[in-house]
Amino acid sequence: MIVFDLRCGNAHVFEAWFRDSKEYERQKKRQQITCPVCGDTACDKALMAPAVTSSKEDRQAREQAMAANAYRKLAEFRRQVEENCDYVGEKFAEEALKIHHGETEKRGIYGEASKEEAENLSEEGVEFGLIPWMPRADN
């Protein structure tokens, strides 16, 4: 696995993991890389500092900082989703299908779906994502 810092066309910087450089190039060509902040698919590699380890403590501190950074990014992603999308709760799969089939207005939604419902949505060709929902920082 390899991690790259990426920058979207709106200058948001984020990390993404790939099997190798060829996998990054394949996904970039197919516009399958999406900015988690704004959804832009025009993403390119950003400059990265090399990872140099001098001790176990340094490595642990770096890993903790990376985990904290990932947590902050997921919390920001949650905030963006909550501000810009409609919460439909356990009716997510039902509402996503209605939007997909043009039975209701096209809009961003979020909610819960069972594994079976997610598989059905995928089979129907509905575009959606499973995201780790971070607890609120104010809880």
Side-chain angles (χ1 to χ4, degrees), residues 59-132:
R59 186 171 53 252
Q60 288 174 336
R62 192 175 66 253
E63 288 170 356
Q64 288 176 342
M66 287 173 52
N69 188 38
Y71 185 89
R72 281 191 303 275
K73 287 180 180 182
L74 286 170
E76 172 62 16
F77 182 67
R78 176 181 182 150
R79 187 187 67 74
Q80 290 282 336
V81 168
E82 289 178 335
E83 283 183 9
N84 297 296
C85 301
D86 294 332
Y87 178 68
V88 294
E90 293 181 0
K91 295 187 181 233
F92 176 81
E94 178 183 333
E95 193 64 23
L97 281 171
K98 285 180 184 177
I99 293 170
H100 181 71
H101 293 299
E103 298 170 15
T104 189
E105 66 180 281
K106 185 175 181 178
R107 68 194 193 287
I109 61 171
Y110 69 104
E112 296 82 35
S114 68
K115 182 178 179 181
E116 293 78 20
E117 289 171 325
E119 288 171 356
N120 183 44
L121 290 173
S122 184
E123 289 171 5
E124 286 279 332
V126 177
E127 290 187 32
F128 69 97
L130 301 173
I131 57 173

Side-chain angles (χ1 to χ4, degrees), residues 10 22 28 33 40 51 54 56 66 74 83 91 137:
N10 294 311
K22 289 180 183 177
K28 179 179 172 17
I33 303 169
D40 188 9
S54 59
K56 182 177 180 181
M66 287 173 52
L74 286 170
E83 283 183 9
K91 295 187 181 233

